[in-house]
């Protein structure tokens, strides 16, 4: 049983500089190869790699192991061709020696890609990467940059926004003050980071496919989503009109206008969510025999949330004097606390009704599922 010490050279620097064919096998042959490579190019890191392989072989022999050294390289200009050449040389070594395990010695990240090829032929016990001390930081930085620039997704995510930002800097400085220019640039970079960090691009891509599939399949939710979008726009518009009304807020006051916006837009936003969820529920009822309880709960949930939000906004506005007291049947005027309690109770009641309805539908569905096998058996 032999432990094979392999010095791997994927780029074929050794063969190109010495004119020798690989594999080169044997202690004396590799020692002679070190001299040839060193005389050809004293600054080549392959010299260090060969010396490290010789040292590893000597250490194994000192431990009374049957160790043999070999140098293999990729003899092709293409990456695939080089890897296949290395694989053929490994097969030749496997026929020549009864290899029990292998120790791989490399001097670069590119050579490290051949480790899986070696593992496909031999059991690899160790991988020794040789890096010249003076070039350690430079080489690590070089390969990190090379890997970064080779990744298309990273380039489009980092380099493109960075380039656009640098191009915009002189344009913004010409038109605006440095403070405004830097603020605009920071906002742009922040928007790009949020766009990628929140995976908005993937969401938009999936949404486009979902909309196309929904249009072709004739789902009811397509129409209800369009109606919901219109209702949401109406709610935002009415909320904005409430803020722009004469006598609202003023100066640096923000709380009252914000509450007015929420108070006037909340019913429309809740109605938009109710319409969208109703469309999704209809799709489930049409396309499936069983309806998930989440789809049954959703319409009741959005109505309950809308009631609670409007109740709290109305309570605060009424305490501020922006709203008149709510009257029931035109006679009984409610205090702000009674008004808030009424909306909260209404929201809780709607939510409980939704839970009961979804539970009853789930029980009926479960009974149908249990009864179906019995009918088939009978």
């Amino acid at each position: 049983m032999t432990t094979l010490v392999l010095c791997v050279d994927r780029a074929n620097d050794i063969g190109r500089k010495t004119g020798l064919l690989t594999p080169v096998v044997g202690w004396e042959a590799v020692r002679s190869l070190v001299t040839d490579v060193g005389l050809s190019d004293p600054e080549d890191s392959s010299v260090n790699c060969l010396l490290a392989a010789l040292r590893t072989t000597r250490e194994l022999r000192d431990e009374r192991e049957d160790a043999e050294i070999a140098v293999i390289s990729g003899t092709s200009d293409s990456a695939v061709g080089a890897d296949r050449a290395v694989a053929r040389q490994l097969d030749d070594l496997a026929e020549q020696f009864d290899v029990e395990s292998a120790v791989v010695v490399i001097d670069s990240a590119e050579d490290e890609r051949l480790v899986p090829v070696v593992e496909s032929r031999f059991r690899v016990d160790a991988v020794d990467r040789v890096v010249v001390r003076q070039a350690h930081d430079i080489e690590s930085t070089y390969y990190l940059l090379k890997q970064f620039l080779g990744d298309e997704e990273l380039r489009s995510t980092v380099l493109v926004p960075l380039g656009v930002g640098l191009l915009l800097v002189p344009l913004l400085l010409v038109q605006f003050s440095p403070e405004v220019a830097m603020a605009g640039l920071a906002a742009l970079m922040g928007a790009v980071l949020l766009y990628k960090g929140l995976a908005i691009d993937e969401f938009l891509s999936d949404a486009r496919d979902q909309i196309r599939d929904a249009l072709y399949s004739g789902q009811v939710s397509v129409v209800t989503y369009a109606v919901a979008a219109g209702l949401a726009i109406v709610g935002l518009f009415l909320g904005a009109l409430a803020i722009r009304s004469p006598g609202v807020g003023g100066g640096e006051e923000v709380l009252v206008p914000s509450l007015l916006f929420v108070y006037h837009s909340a019913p429309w936003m809740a109605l938009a969510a109710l319409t969208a969820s109703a469309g999704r529920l209809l799709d489930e009822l049409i396309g499936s025999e069983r309806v998930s309880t989440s789809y049954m709960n959703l319409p009741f949930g959005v109505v309950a949330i809308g009631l609670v939000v409007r109740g709290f906004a109305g309570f605060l506005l009424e305490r501020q004097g922006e709203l008149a007291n709510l009257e029931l049947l035109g006679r009984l005027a409610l205090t702000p606390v009674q008004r808030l309690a009424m909306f909260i109770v209404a929201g809780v009641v709607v939510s409980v009704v939704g839970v009961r309805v979804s539970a009853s539908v789930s029980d009926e569905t479960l009974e149908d599922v249990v009864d179906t096998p019995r009918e088939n058996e009978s």
Side-chain angles (χ1 to χ4, degrees):
M1 296 294 181
T2 301
T3 299
L4 189 62
V5 180
L6 287 172
C7 179
V8 180
D9 176 26
R10 190 187 191 200
N12 195 27
D13 293 331
I14 295 174
R16 191 168 53 250
K17 293 176 181 179
T18 62
L20 297 176
L21 296 178
T22 53
V24 177
V25 184
W27 178 271
E28 294 299 332
V30 175
R31 284 188 64 180
S32 177
L33 183 61
V34 171
T35 304
D36 294 339
V37 175
L39 290 175
S40 175
D41 186 0
E43 297 180 353
D44 191 352
S45 61
S46 298
V47 177
N48 301 87
C49 188
L50 292 170
L51 291 172
L54 287 169
R55 185 188 62 181
T56 302
T57 306
R58 184 183 63 186
E59 292 174 351
L60 292 175
R61 289 179 177 178
D62 291 342
E63 296 175 359
R64 306 298 182 184
E65 289 192 31
D66 183 13
E68 190 61 73
I69 184 172
V71 179
I72 57 177
S73 62
T75 56
S76 176
D77 294 334
S78 66
V80 176
D83 293 350
R84 288 183 172 178
V86 170
R88 288 193 297 268
Q89 295 172 40
L90 290 172
D91 293 336
D92 294 339
L93 293 173
E95 294 178 359
Q96 186 176 355
F97 300 99
D98 184 13
V99 180
E100 180 184 11
S101 61
V103 176
V104 182
V105 183
I106 56 177
D107 64 350
S108 67
E110 184 179 8
D111 295 338
E112 195 169 358
R113 297 182 181 180
L114 287 174
V115 173
V117 180
V118 180
E119 289 178 333
S120 66
R121 268 73 177 177
F122 309 125
R123 189 190 75 207
V124 176
D125 286 346
V127 177
D128 183 13
R129 181 177 178 183
V130 180
V131 179
V132 181
R133 290 188 181 92
Q134 291 85 350
H136 183 275
D137 294 337
I138 298 176
E139 184 185 19
S140 300
T141 304
Y142 168 75
Y143 282 109
L144 284 174
L145 288 175
K146 185 177 180 181
Q147 184 178 9
F148 172 76
L149 294 175
D151 193 323
E152 183 178 355
E153 184 177 357
L154 282 176
R155 289 203 310 268
S156 61
T157 304
V158 178
L159 295 183
V160 173
L162 184 60
V164 172
L166 293 176
L167 289 175
L168 288 177
V169 168
L171 298 177
L172 293 174
L173 289 175
V174 170
Q175 297 292 331
F176 305 101
S177 63
E179 293 81 5
V180 175
M182 291 298 104
L185 182 61
L188 174 63
M189 301 303 294
V192 172
L193 292 176
L194 287 176
Y195 181 79
K196 296 299 294 186
L198 297 176
I200 297 177
D201 53 342
E202 298 178 5
F203 172 77
L204 294 177
S205 178
D206 295 340
R208 183 174 63 250
D209 296 336
Q210 292 175 0
I211 292 173
R212 185 182 64 250
D213 296 340
L215 288 173
Y216 289 151
S217 60
Q219 295 180 356
V220 179
S221 59
V222 176
V223 179
T224 57
Y225 286 162
V227 175
L231 292 173
I233 293 173
V234 171
L236 295 175
F237 182 74
L238 292 178
L241 287 180
I243 294 176
R244 293 175 60 89
S245 299
V248 175
E252 298 180 354
E253 188 175 358
V254 177
L255 180 59
V256 172
S258 300
L259 290 174
L260 282 171
F261 179 85
V262 172
Y263 181 81
H264 288 87
S265 62
W268 293 93
M269 301 300 288
L271 185 59
L274 176 62
T275 304
S277 60
R280 192 71 182 90
L281 177 61
L282 288 175
D283 285 340
E284 289 294 319
L285 290 173
I286 295 173
S288 177
E289 296 180 356
R290 292 185 297 173
V291 181
S292 174
T293 56
S294 59
Y295 291 117
M296 294 296 300
N297 279 327
L298 187 57
F300 296 94
V302 296
V303 172
I305 292 174
L307 288 171
V308 172
V309 170
R310 186 174 172 87
F312 276 101
F315 168 77
L316 295 174
L317 289 173
E318 192 171 348
R319 292 295 298 268
Q320 190 69 17
E322 296 290 337
L323 290 180
N325 291 338
L326 182 64
E327 295 183 355
L328 293 179
L329 302 176
R331 297 179 181 178
L332 179 61
L334 300 179
T335 64
V337 175
Q338 293 173 337
R339 177 198 191 104
L340 177 61
M342 185 187 70
F343 276 95
I344 292 177
V345 170
V348 172
V349 169
V350 171
S351 180
V352 171
V353 170
V355 172
R356 295 297 301 171
V357 170
S358 61
S360 62
V361 172
S362 177
D363 293 339
E364 293 177 0
T365 304
L366 182 60
E367 292 177 359
D368 293 339
V369 172
V370 174
D371 293 340
T372 301
R374 295 177 181 176
E375 295 176 357
N376 295 334
E377 293 176 359
S378 61

